[in-house]
Amino acid sequence: PKGRFSMEQKAPKQEKKEASSSETTDKTYYLKKRRSGCTGMFWRQDPTKTHKLASNDNWPRDGAALKGKVVESGGGKWLVTSHVKQANGSSWVEAPVGSALPFEYDNHYYLDDKP
């Protein structure tokens, strides 16, 4: 029937106007800082607004390893996180649903692909 999709067909993927995905698989990055001060960074809301931030539990402390997908949103680069491993931790833990971190924050914190 006109206007319907069969099981073999898929509806065209709708693109987000504000955010675009740069990566299709999870990548690992490390939370680093340029100057002293805070001891970590609280989770930020997923800039793609795909999911609402579920909680601020287990926010990444200095030197934490993070896994997630890289997206561009609002003129900035973000990591929409799936897992976190604290610097003193031995295992990966799921990050809260809807959590993200900017690649650069206030010339203080940044994400780097090297430990």
Side-chain angles (χ1 to χ4, degrees):
K2 194 173 191 177
R4 299 204 179 234
F5 296 95
S6 71
M7 294 301 276
E8 293 81 33
Q9 295 174 320
K10 293 186 178 180
K13 199 173 198 178
Q14 292 191 2
E15 293 182 31
K16 295 185 183 304
K17 294 178 183 177
E18 178 101 10
S20 64
S21 177
S22 302
E23 302 286 340
T24 56
T25 59
D26 281 1
K27 302 287 183 186
T28 301
Y29 293 92
Y30 302 87
L31 182 63
K32 296 186 178 183
K33 63 183 179 182
R34 300 183 196 290
R35 53 188 160 86
S36 62
C38 304
T39 59
M41 185 185 285
F42 290 120
W43 296 118
R44 305 306 201 262
Q45 169 70 44
D46 170 0
T48 67
K49 301 196 186 336
T50 302
H51 299 284
K52 184 178 178 185
L53 179 59
S55 75
N56 229 321
D57 292 346
N58 200 27
W59 47 274
R61 284 17 175 228
D62 295 349
L66 302 147
K67 286 185 183 180
K69 292 182 178 33
V70 177
V71 299
E72 302 277 340
S73 182
K77 188 175 172 183
W78 290 78
L79 183 69
V80 176
T81 53
S82 62
H83 292 83
V84 59
K85 182 166 64 170
Q86 300 295 351
N88 62 352
S90 59
S91 61
W92 290 97
V93 177
E94 283 189 13
V97 171
S99 61
L101 288 178
F103 268 78
E104 185 73 40
Y105 177 72
D106 194 31
N107 199 29
H108 188 176
Y109 278 101
Y110 66 101
L111 298 180
D112 193 349
D113 62 355
K114 295 171 189 66

